[in-house]
C-alpha cells in the first residue's frame, strides 16, 4: 500500500517529448530578459530616448534618469554574467554540445555558387537546426564582446584604476559592436521562430520544455532515436518487481 505522503510519478503525454528541462528554460529567459534590459538601460545612458522623444510617451519620462539607468545596467550586468557562467557550467557538466556550430553550418550560410555548395552538403540535424547553431554562435559572440568590454569600462571607474586611452576607446567600440550584434541576434531569433513555419512548434519548447513527438520524429529523427535508446537502457536496468 502506497504511503499517503508519497506521490505517484507524473506521467508526461507520450505524444510530446521533453526537449529542454525547466532549468534550461529558466536560464534562457533570465538571459534573454537581462539582455533586453541591458540594451534598454544602455541606450538610455546615451540619450537615445531623449533624442527620439521616447521620453514623451506616457509612462516613460523616467527613461532619461541617467543615474537610475546606470544602476539598473550594473545590476542586470551582474545577473547576466552569473547566468552565462551557470549556462556554460551546466552544459559542460552535462556534456551537451549539440548547440555548438559545425564547420558546414558556416559554409551553408555563405553565398557560395551551387557547385561549391554541393561539395558541402548541409549537416544532418540532431537536436538543432544549423541556423539555430549559427544564431547561438552569434549571440555568444555578442555577449562575449559585451562582457569583456563592459568589465573594462567598469574597471576604469575604480579610483586606483588606470587604463590607456586607446584601450578605453577600443572597449567603447567593442561594446557598441556587441550591442548591435546582440540586437541583430534577437531580431533574427524572433523573426525566424515566428515566420518560418518549421520553427513554430519549437515555441512551446521554450515555455514548458516540450515538443511534439510527431514534429521531432520528422525533423530530428536521430535525437528521437537517441532518446528512445536511452529510455530502453534505463528500463532494462530497472530491477524486476520495482
Amino acid at each position: 500500500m502506497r504511503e499517503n505522503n508519497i506521490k505517484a510519478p507524473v506521467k508526461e503525454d507520450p505524444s510530446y517529448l521533453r526537449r529542454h528541462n525547466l532549468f534550461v528554460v529558466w536560464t534562457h529567459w533570465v538571459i534573454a530578459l537581462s539582455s533586453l534590459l541591458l540594451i534598454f538601460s544602455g541606450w538610455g545612458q546615451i540619450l537615445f530616448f531623449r533624442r527620439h522623444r521616447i521620453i514623451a510617451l506616457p509612462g516613460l519620462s523616467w527613461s532619461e534618469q541617467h543615474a537610475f539607468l546606470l544602476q539598473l545596467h550594473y545590476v542586470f550586468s551582474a545577473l547576466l554574467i552569473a547566468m552565462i557562467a551557470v549556462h556554460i557550467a551546466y552544459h559542460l557538466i552535462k556534456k551537451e554540445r549539440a548547440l555548438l556550430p559545425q564547420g558546414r553550418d558556416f559554409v551553408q550560410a555563405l553565398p557560395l555558387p551551387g557547385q561549391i555548395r554541393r561539395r558541402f552538403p548541409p549537416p544532418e540535424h540532431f537536436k538543432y537546426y544549423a541556423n539555430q547553431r549559427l544564431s547561438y554562435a552569434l549571440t555568444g559572440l555578442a555577449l562575449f564582446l559585451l562582457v569583456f568590454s563592459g568589465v573594462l569600462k567598469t574597471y576604469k571607474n575604480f579610483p586606483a584604476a588606470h587604463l590607456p586611452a586607446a584601450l578605453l576607446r577600443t572597449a567603447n567600440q567593442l561594446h557598441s559592436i556587441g550591442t548591435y550584434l546582440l540586437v541583430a541576434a534577437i531580431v533574427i531569433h524572433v523573426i525566424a521562430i515566428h515566420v518560418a513555419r518549421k520553427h513554430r512548434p519549437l515555441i512551446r519548447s521554450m515555455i514548458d520544455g516540450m515538443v511534439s513527438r510527431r514534429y521531432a520524429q520528422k525533423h530530428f529523427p536521430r535525437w528521437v532515436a537517441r532518446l528512445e535508446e536511452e529510455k530502453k537502457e534505463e528500463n532494462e536496468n530497472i530491477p524486476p518487481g520495482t
Side-chain angles (χ1 to χ4, degrees):
M1 183 175 179
R2 184 177 295 274
E3 296 291 338
N4 292 332
N5 60 344
I6 300 179
K7 296 182 179 180
V10 178
K11 294 184 178 180
E12 295 181 340
D13 187 345
S15 62
Y16 283 86
L17 295 172
R18 179 159 294 282
R19 183 173 172 84
H20 306 294
N21 61 40
L22 295 182
F23 178 79
V24 172
V25 173
W26 179 75
T27 54
H28 168 271
W29 285 111
V30 173
I31 290 175
L33 293 175
S34 298
S35 299
L36 290 174
L37 287 169
L38 282 171
I39 293 171
F40 179 86
S41 58
W43 282 355
Q45 293 174 58
I46 61 173
L47 304 180
F48 177 86
F49 303 123
R50 171 180 286 275
R51 189 179 304 117
H52 296 279
R53 301 300 301 164
I54 295 176
I55 60 173
L57 297 176
L60 288 178
S61 59
W62 59 272
S63 61
E64 65 172 339
Q65 299 179 14
H66 182 273
F68 172 73
L69 291 175
L70 181 61
Q71 295 300 319
L72 189 70
H73 204 71
Y74 282 148
V75 169
F76 284 101
S77 294
L79 178 60
L80 178 65
I81 293 173
M83 294 312 301
I84 290 174
V86 169
H87 171 80
I88 294 174
Y90 174 84
H91 287 283
L92 285 177
I93 293 172
K94 292 290 187 179
K95 298 180 179 179
E96 295 182 356
R97 301 182 178 89
L99 252 179
L100 296 179
Q102 304 174 18
R104 284 181 294 172
D105 294 339
F106 295 101
V107 173
Q108 290 296 317
L110 296 175
L112 299 174
Q115 184 178 0
I116 299 178
R117 186 179 294 274
R118 283 191 291 271
R119 297 179 183 177
F120 302 92
E124 185 180 354
H125 304 315
F126 175 66
K127 190 178 178 180
Y128 301 98
Y129 295 111
N131 55 7
Q132 288 180 299
R133 293 192 291 267
L134 292 175
S135 177
Y136 180 77
L138 176 61
T139 304
L141 174 61
L143 292 176
F144 171 78
L145 292 176
L146 287 171
V147 170
F148 175 74
S149 58
V151 168
L152 292 178
K153 288 164 62 69
T154 303
Y155 174 73
K156 72 176 176 58
N157 295 326
F158 287 89
H162 175 72
L163 294 175
L167 181 58
L168 289 178
R169 285 196 298 271
T170 302
N172 289 329
Q173 292 171 352
L174 290 178
H175 213 68
S176 297
I177 293 172
T179 301
Y180 295 137
L181 288 178
L182 184 59
V183 171
I186 293 173
V187 171
I188 293 172
H189 184 70
V190 172
I191 291 178
I193 205 165
H194 285 86
V195 173
R197 291 185 177 182
K198 68 177 183 179
H199 293 321
R200 292 177 187 174
L202 296 177
I203 296 176
R204 173 175 174 172
S205 69
M206 295 316 304
I207 298 175
D208 65 359
M210 308 301 290
V211 67
S212 165
R213 177 182 289 272
R214 181 179 178 183
Y215 174 86
Q217 287 176 332
K218 179 180 179 181
H219 296 277
F220 310 106
R222 290 176 53 227
W223 174 60
V224 175
R226 173 76 64 84
L227 289 181
E228 293 176 346
E229 181 180 349
E230 291 175 351
K231 186 176 181 180
K232 181 180 179 180
E233 292 177 355
E234 183 180 342
N235 292 335
E236 290 176 350
N237 294 329
I238 297 177
T242 59

